Amino acid sequence: MINHVAKITESISWIGVNDRQKHRFENLWPLDRGMAYNSYVIIDEKIAVLDTVERCFLEDYLEKLNEVLAGRPVDYLVINHMEPDHTGILREMTERYPDMQLVGNKKTFQFMDNFYCVNSNRLEVKEGDELDLGSRKLTFSMMPMVHWPEVMVTYDQKEQVLFSADAFGSFGALDGGLFDSDFDIPREFESEMRRYYSNIVGKYGAQVQRALKKLSALEIQTICPLHGPVWRSQIPYLLDLYDRWSRLEGEPGVVIVYGSMYGHTAKMAERIARGLRENGVAEVKLFDASKTHLSYMLQEIWKYDGLIIGSCAYNNAVFPPVADLLSKLEHWGVKNRIVGAFGNYTWSGGGLKGILATFEKLKLDPVGPNVEAQSCMHIEEEVLIDELAVNMAKAILEKVN
Ligand code: FEO
C-alpha cells in the first residue's frame, strides 16, 4: 500500500500537497513546475501541526491530517508564516478543533485578524519561548522579513528539526519525492530554488544573513521548509547556497537583457554576447525582456557576476519591459554586479539614459563604454560594442583569477 503521508521521523509527518494547477505564485511568478505547500504534524503527548496549505487543497489536506491523527485532536497549530499559501485551512482547523491553540507572535495575530475572522484560543510567543509537547520542547525564533515581518521558525530540540517557514524553500512540485536525497538537487532543483530565492526573498539579503547567523547556533539534523524538499543529507550545501545568494556572490558569467522594437538593439546584444565568448566568458545568457518573464531573468542575474542591459528608446524613456526589470533591480537593491549598458534611438534617446540612472542609484559603476546607436549600428558603434564586450570579459575573468 502506497503511503501518501510521509514520515520524517517516527513522530513527525509531512502532510503537504503539490499544486500543479496554479499558473502564478502570488499571481505574479510563473509556476511551470508547480509548487509544494508543506505542512507537518508532530505526534507527542500533545499534538502540534506546523502551518497548513493553500485553501483549494482542503479535502486532500484533511484526509492526510486525519490519517496521522488517528482520531486524536490537534492541540496546537503553529503559524510560522501567515501568508495565505500556509494559512488557507486555518478557519476549518479552528472549527474542527475548538480546543486547539493557535501559536504565533504578536504580528502573526495582527495579520491574522486582518485576513480572517477567526475566533480561537491563542498562545502568543516571542523570541526563545518554549512550548512543551510532552517528550519534547519546541523553541520559537523570530525571522522577520524572510519573507514577511511576522515570520518565525520553530525548532524541535529533541529531534533537532528546524521548521524554517519560507526560508530554504523552492518553486517546483515534489513529483513523488520529499527528501533532498530523493532528487539530483543541482540538476532538478537548484535553478528553481534560486528563482524562488531571487523572486520571493531576494530583497531581504541582510535579514537572511541575520537569520543564518542565528541558526548557526543550533544543531540541525533536518530542515523542513514550507516549500520544496525536506533537507537532511545536504544541509551544508543548502546553507552555503543561501549564504552566497543573500550576499549576491556571483559565479563567472554574464547576463544580457535587452528590449528591442525593430531588431537594432537585439543585434547589439547579439554582438556583445559573441564578443564575450570570444574573449573567454564561457557562460553567457541572453534574454529578450519582451519575451522572458522577469522571474527567470532575476534568477540568472542572481547567479552570474556580470549584467549588461540594453534598451531602445520608447517615448524618450526606457522600453517598458526593460523598465520593469530596472524597477525590480532598484527595489531589490541589487549589488556586487559588474555592469554594462547600451541603447538605441531613432530621433531622441532615453533608453540608455534610464539604464544608467538605475545603475547610479544602485551605486554600480558600468565598465563602459556606454554605447548608444541611432537606429542600426554603424562602424563607430560596432567598435564601441566590441570594446564593451572586451571590458566586461576582462572584469569577469579578473574576478576569478
Ligand atoms: Fe510561502 Fe511567503 O509564503
Side-chain angles (χ1 to χ4, degrees):
M1 178 114 162
I2 293 170
N3 236 332
H4 63 272
V5 168
K7 286 229 173 211
I8 291 170
T9 67
E10 250 331 282
S11 49
I12 302 176
S13 299
W14 173 89
I15 54 165
V17 295
N18 287 293
D19 183 350
R20 293 184 183 78
Q21 302 165 3
K22 187 176 282 159
H23 288 270
R24 296 208 171 181
F25 184 69
E26 295 179 340
N27 215 9
L28 180 60
W29 309 109
L31 290 178
D32 302 331
R33 285 181 45 195
M35 184 70 151
Y37 310 114
N38 297 332
S39 170
Y40 305 94
V41 187
I42 303 174
I43 304 286
D44 206 306
E45 287 167 36
K46 297 283 185 185
I47 293 181
V49 170
L50 293 107
D51 300 285
T52 68
V53 300
E54 271 277 6
R55 175 157 188 78
C56 52
F57 294 94
L58 175 68
E59 198 179 319
D60 188 14
Y61 181 76
L62 292 178
E63 196 179 303
K64 287 177 182 171
L65 177 62
N66 288 339
E67 187 179 322
V68 178
L69 294 178
R72 290 180 62 186
V74 177
D75 297 292
Y76 301 104
L77 171 54
V78 178
I79 307 168
N80 283 314
H81 185 15
M82 235 303 298
E83 200 169 4
D85 50 327
H86 310 297
T87 52
I89 315 292
L90 196 60
R91 193 189 313 277
E92 283 73 13
M93 290 291 282
T94 58
E95 285 165 7
R96 289 171 79 93
Y97 305 106
D99 296 328
M100 179 184 77
Q101 282 195 294
L102 296 179
V103 183
N105 55 62
K106 194 172 176 183
K107 272 213 157 56
T108 315
F109 293 124
Q110 278 171 8
F111 291 178
M112 194 178 85
D113 287 335
N114 289 324
F115 263 85
Y116 310 105
C117 285
V118 176
N119 288 320
S120 60
N121 309 307
R122 298 175 183 196
L123 176 62
E124 190 177 303
V125 294
K126 54 186 186 326
E127 181 73 30
D129 280 358
E130 290 183 342
L131 177 63
D132 196 339
L133 297 186
S135 82
R136 79 192 68 215
K137 286 192 173 99
L138 302 180
T139 318
F140 304 100
S141 185
M142 305 302 126
M143 298 285 166
M145 303 319 298
V146 189
H147 146 231
W148 276 19
E150 91 300 358
V151 166
M152 61 183 199
V153 299
T154 301
Y155 179 62
D156 175 345
Q157 300 171 10
K158 181 181 171 187
E159 304 208 66
Q160 300 183 330
V161 178
L162 178 74
F163 299 92
S164 66
D166 272 352
F168 311 118
S170 178
F171 288 133
L174 293 171
D175 294 351
L178 177 62
F179 298 103
D180 51 357
S181 52
D182 294 333
F183 305 100
D184 176 349
I185 292 281
R187 185 175 60 79
E188 291 181 82
F189 265 99
E190 193 173 310
S191 63
E192 282 296 81
M193 286 164 63
R194 190 172 43 245
R195 190 164 71 86
Y196 176 84
Y197 180 88
S198 60
N199 294 183
I200 308 295
V201 196
K203 181 173 165 51
Y204 306 110
Q207 287 87 342
V208 172
Q209 277 291 317
R210 273 200 285 281
L212 289 173
K213 210 169 163 195
K214 249 189 195 181
L215 297 178
S216 67
L218 299 175
E219 290 291 328
I220 298 173
Q221 297 293 326
T222 308
I223 295 179
C224 294
L226 288 176
H227 304 285
V230 168
W231 295 80
R232 55 185 186 186
S233 63
Q234 299 176 64
I235 290 175
Y237 159 89
L238 173 68
L239 295 176
D240 179 59
L241 285 181
Y242 256 64
D243 181 39
R244 286 194 280 124
W245 291 342
S246 54
R247 287 185 290 107
L248 267 146
E249 185 187 304
E251 299 173 21
V254 179
V255 176
I256 306 169
V257 178
Y258 68 88
S260 185
M261 292 172 75
Y262 310 118
H264 296 129
T265 321
K267 217 167 171 181
M268 295 169 87
E270 292 285 357
R271 191 173 177 104
I272 296 168
R274 188 73 211 127
L276 289 169
R277 296 226 186 231
E278 280 187 356
N279 284 279
V281 180
E283 298 276 338
V284 178
K285 306 284 177 187
L286 184 52
F287 296 105
D288 181 337
S290 297
K291 187 172 176 195
T292 305
H293 193 283
L294 189 63
S295 174
Y296 300 95
M297 296 189 284
L298 283 173
Q299 189 263 111
E300 298 290 0
I301 289 169
W302 240 262
K303 181 172 184 181
Y304 293 113
D305 282 327
L307 171 62
I308 301 180
I309 304 181
S311 174
C312 57
Y314 189 81
N315 293 335
N316 301 332
V318 178
F319 190 52
V322 180
D324 276 356
L325 173 68
L326 294 175
S327 139
K328 199 57 91 187
L329 296 181
E330 272 181 39
H331 189 58
W332 260 221
V334 168
K335 58 183 182 180
N336 294 345
R337 288 294 172 267
I338 302 164
V339 297
F342 62 100
N344 198 291
Y345 68 101
T346 300
W347 67 90
S348 71
L352 177 64
K353 195 171 143 196
I355 297 164
L356 293 175
T358 292
F359 286 161
E360 197 179 334
K361 281 182 200 159
L362 291 168
K363 299 189 172 57
L364 296 170
D365 198 15
V367 289
N370 307 317
V371 191
E372 192 165 44
Q374 187 163 19
S375 300
C376 62
M377 270 185 294
H378 306 90
I379 185 70
E380 296 85 351
E381 288 88 30
E382 286 180 353
V383 170
L384 292 172
I385 281 287
D386 293 350
E387 206 181 315
L388 170 58
V390 168
N391 289 347
M392 176 58 81
K394 258 191 205 160
I396 296 291
L397 298 177
E398 267 168 19
K399 204 173 167 193
V400 182
N401 299 320

